[in-house]
């Protein structure tokens, strides 16, 4: 029995030594591969980057344009007016601008009554106050800002419904 344990110990030590040797060789090979890759990159990069850069810039521009179109569609405005609506209240500002355009059209319409024109003037004054509220809410803590945005949204809903009713929709 004694001879077996001795032989097993020598075999274990030999296996451990062989494993360490294999690990060192693998590390050296990895370092060598990294150096080779770096050398290849130094030669290839100056050739590839000028060829690939225009495609990357074009792809980035196309992605930005698609995102702008998505945002404009989400806010219900034209892409060229998107820059007017920024911040956390951007969607509300876009809605306010839309309702304002509608009220201006109602006021200028030939079939508008005196009551409609008065509604449009009052509505525009209300929209100015709502826009100021949204701008003020930008600097509020999150909970208060969200509550202010909900209140402005509810007021806009009411104003939009009244506008649509007066326009006959």
């Amino acid at each position: 029995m004694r001879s077996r344990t001795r032989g097993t110990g020598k075999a274990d030590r030999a296996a451990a030594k062989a494993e360490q040797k294999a690990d060192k060789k693998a590390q050296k090979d990895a370092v060598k591969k990294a150096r080779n890759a770096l050398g290849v990159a130094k030669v290839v990069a100056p050739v590839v980057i000028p060829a690939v850069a225009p495609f990357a810039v074009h792809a980035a521009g196309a992605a930005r344009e698609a995102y702008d179109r998505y945002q404009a569609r989400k806010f219900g405005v034209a892409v060229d007016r998107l820059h007017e609506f920024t911040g956390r209240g951007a969607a509300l500002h876009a809605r306010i601008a839309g309702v304002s355009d509608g009220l201006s059209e109602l006021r200028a319409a030939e079939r508008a009554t005196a009551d409609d024109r008065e509604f449009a003037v009052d509505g525009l004054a209300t929209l100015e106050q709502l826009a100021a509220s949204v701008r003020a809410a930008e600097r509020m803590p999150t909970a208060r800002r969200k509550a202010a945005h909900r209140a402005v949204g509810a007021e806009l809903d009411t104003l939009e419904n009244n506008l649509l009713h007066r326009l006959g929709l």
Side-chain angles (χ1 to χ4, degrees), residues 37-84:
L38 187 58
V40 168
K42 284 181 182 178
V43 172
V44 172
V47 175
V48 172
I49 288 176
V52 174
F55 295 112
V57 169
H58 181 71
R64 179 60 192 202
E65 185 178 328
Y67 180 73
D68 286 347
R69 276 187 275 125
Y70 164 76
Q71 285 292 97
R73 198 170 39 251
K74 185 171 121 181
F75 290 162
V77 297
V79 175
D80 58 337
R81 288 191 65 195
L82 189 61
H83 69 279
E84 297 174 24

